[in-house]
Amino acid sequence: MRKETLLTRVGREMAGSGPVNPAVQRASTIRFDTVAEFERAQRDRYERGTLYYGTYGTETTFAFESAVAALEGGDAAIAVSSGLAAIVATISAFVGSGEHLLVPDSVYGPVRIACEGVLRRAGIETTYYDPLAGSEIVAQIRPNTKLLYLESPGSLTFEVQDVPAIVAVAKQHGISTALDNTWATGYYFDAFARGVDVVIQAATKYVGGHSDLVLGAIVTTQAHYERMRRTVAGLGYSAAPDDCWLALRGLRTLPVRLRAHAERAIAVASYLDGRPEVELVLYPRLAGAPGHALWKRDFTGATGLFSFVFERTIPESAAIAFVERLRLFAIGASWGGYESLALLVRPKAIRSLPTWQDTGSIVRLQIGLEDAADLVDDLKNAFSTLS
Ligand SMILES: *Cc1c(COP(=O)(O)O)cnc(C)c1O
């Protein structure tokens, strides 16, 4: 079955022959008739999704986990409370005290809070590498490097990574790899086919799709599943069944929504590309945009989140006025919902490498499901305030 068909079918076992969709199963306590049954569930809880205690999930959680594993093409998945929790659990599973972690400089910002805070205090050292490094990543590897982390395209600035080249280097050195696939999802980027060990999906974004839930998924190969389950259990991370249920519903329409986001995004990106006030559009799908060649080689589609860089002559105050003038784009964190968003972003404030120090103001747009012509009109109107 192709992925689009698969996403209409997976995770429905619990519904049986009755309703189309499984019910929400909320539980802390699961009851057992015998000590032996209880102890079997207790023993098996790291090997597969097992009804044992609510913190390890209920049938609703397991339904979402099997569906998101199918989306990414992994063997199994574990749902946790947020995308960031999925990332921290993954790093914690592979890297320990006295060991080293490689993270792209374009990583989702809050990951740095974890790397420089709780993970550093636990004795884990992080190096932020140039996301555009391909096989030259080899120069960053140390004898104690345990995990090579990737996110492609990167947050805010959308650098497309040469995932096959980086994964090949990691494999030569016996280092595990994890990739944040939130932007493309498994529908447009097959990370497991390129040898990645663990894939992270912030289901908060496109999987949920309606800006009303926070949820993360760790999708893994069988080889790393038990290690991931034990780590998540030890951290006490869990996911709310209601959020899993919403995310499972979101998965049913993911392919059609992504196509609609992309259709509007390319129209808006092309319009911005033609504006004299815009120096650069950071949308890998756009011909001539940074990363376009790698995107074309490795991705089967693009989604609706990208940034653009104003000409340096435009002061930041004008960029702020531009964003505030927009009517169809709200100012707000997160993305992946049906409504458009605009955000002034300042990568240089958080980056370790000098790459984005000297550019014009950068605005990130999440292109929702509004009519593209209305979005372009809104942008046109905001541009008129600049002159
Ligand atoms: C939002 C986001 C996350 C974190 O997801 P939360 O559920 O908000 O914690 C991780 N990676 C990327 C690329 C994101 O955009």
Side-chain angles (χ1 to χ4, degrees):
M1 261 184 279
R2 288 158 184 84
K3 229 161 231 185
E4 199 155 354
T5 311
L6 201 58
L7 286 175
T8 68
R9 305 188 61 88
V10 284
R12 289 175 52 190
E13 297 76 8
M14 181 190 169
S17 58
V20 168
N21 293 308
V24 186
Q25 192 178 65
R26 298 184 192 86
S28 53
T29 301
I30 313 293
R31 293 185 305 155
F32 294 85
D33 290 331
T34 67
V35 170
E37 283 171 37
F38 177 78
E39 290 181 347
R40 188 179 315 121
Q42 188 176 47
R43 200 179 51 238
D44 290 350
R45 71 193 191 276
Y46 300 126
E47 286 162 29
R48 57 194 148 86
T50 305
L51 267 185
Y52 160 66
Y53 174 50
T55 189
Y56 297 90
T58 67
E59 294 293 353
T60 311
T61 323
F62 308 146
F64 167 67
E65 288 173 344
S66 66
V68 77
L71 167 69
E72 295 292 339
D75 293 327
I78 303 163
V80 291
S81 55
S82 71
L84 186 59
I87 295 166
V88 172
T90 302
I91 295 172
S92 305
F94 287 93
V95 197
S97 178
E99 295 176 339
H100 179 238
L101 164 73
L102 282 167
V103 167
D105 202 33
S106 50
V107 72
Y108 172 66
V111 175
R112 284 173 193 268
I113 302 172
C115 290
E116 299 314 311
V118 68
L119 296 173
R120 179 180 288 281
R121 286 200 302 281
I124 295 169
E125 194 189 343
T126 304
T127 300
Y128 300 93
Y129 68 89
D130 180 355
L132 299 180
S135 48
E136 319 91 81
I137 191 73
V138 71
Q140 307 280 338
I141 289 173
R142 303 181 191 173
N144 63 343
T145 305
K146 294 293 171 188
L147 182 70
L148 212 166
Y149 186 86
L150 304 100
E151 180 189 330
S152 184
S155 281
L156 310 184
T157 44
F158 301 91
E159 290 89 343
V160 181
Q161 297 198 257
D162 191 340
V163 176
I166 294 173
V167 169
V169 170
K171 284 199 188 301
Q172 279 157 19
H173 290 78
I175 297 168
S176 301
T177 50
L179 180 139
D180 183 333
N181 206 20
T182 302
W183 185 86
T185 83
Y187 193 60
Y188 285 147
F189 183 75
D190 191 343
F192 287 108
R194 290 172 179 86
V196 170
D197 295 308
V198 176
V199 173
I200 284 133
Q201 185 57 238
T204 306
K205 311 292 167 54
Y206 284 125
V207 172
H210 296 73
S211 309
D212 52 8
L213 65 91
V214 176
L215 185 68
I218 300 159
V219 190
T220 156
T221 55
Q222 197 56 45
H224 298 295
Y225 178 68
E226 194 172 327
R227 172 205 289 248
M228 284 306 322
R229 269 268 180 232
R230 282 182 188 276
T231 305
V232 167
L235 289 166
Y237 291 173
S238 64
D242 291 82
D243 291 337
C244 290
W245 187 88
L246 280 170
L248 185 58
R249 190 162 85 155
L251 278 172
R252 308 298 179 205
T253 57
L254 182 74
V256 285
R257 283 188 289 107
L258 290 186
R259 279 199 296 275
H261 284 292
E263 192 183 290
R264 288 153 179 77
I266 193 69
V268 173
S270 303
Y271 167 72
L272 290 168
D273 201 33
R275 290 293 310 199
E277 303 89 339
V278 173
E279 185 178 308
L280 198 56
V281 179
L282 303 172
Y283 186 43
R285 183 185 166 191
L286 193 69
H292 180 69
L294 277 182
W295 171 81
K296 210 167 163 178
R297 186 191 72 184
D298 291 348
F299 289 71
T300 54
T303 54
L305 186 80
F306 65 88
S307 292
F308 69 92
V309 186
F310 274 108
E311 283 291 342
R312 244 166 287 212
T313 50
I314 292 173
E316 191 182 83
S317 57
I320 290 172
F322 173 90
V323 167
E324 291 178 347
R325 180 71 185 265
L326 293 166
R327 287 291 158 262
L328 291 177
F329 294 78
I331 298 169
S334 202
W335 48 275
Y338 55 82
E339 82 296 6
S340 289
L341 300 169
L343 209 55
L344 187 86
V345 296
R346 297 188 179 90
K348 73 175 170 194
I350 55 168
R351 298 286 161 92
S352 305
L353 303 175
T355 330
W356 295 93
Q357 293 306 313
D358 185 30
T359 67
S361 300
I362 304 178
V363 173
R364 188 186 75 177
L365 297 179
Q366 126 86 10
I367 305 300
L369 300 177
E370 303 88 349
D371 190 302
D374 286 333
L375 295 176
V376 167
D377 284 347
D378 197 24
L379 291 162
K380 218 177 265 180
N381 180 51
F383 276 119
S384 71
T385 66
L386 291 180
S387 46

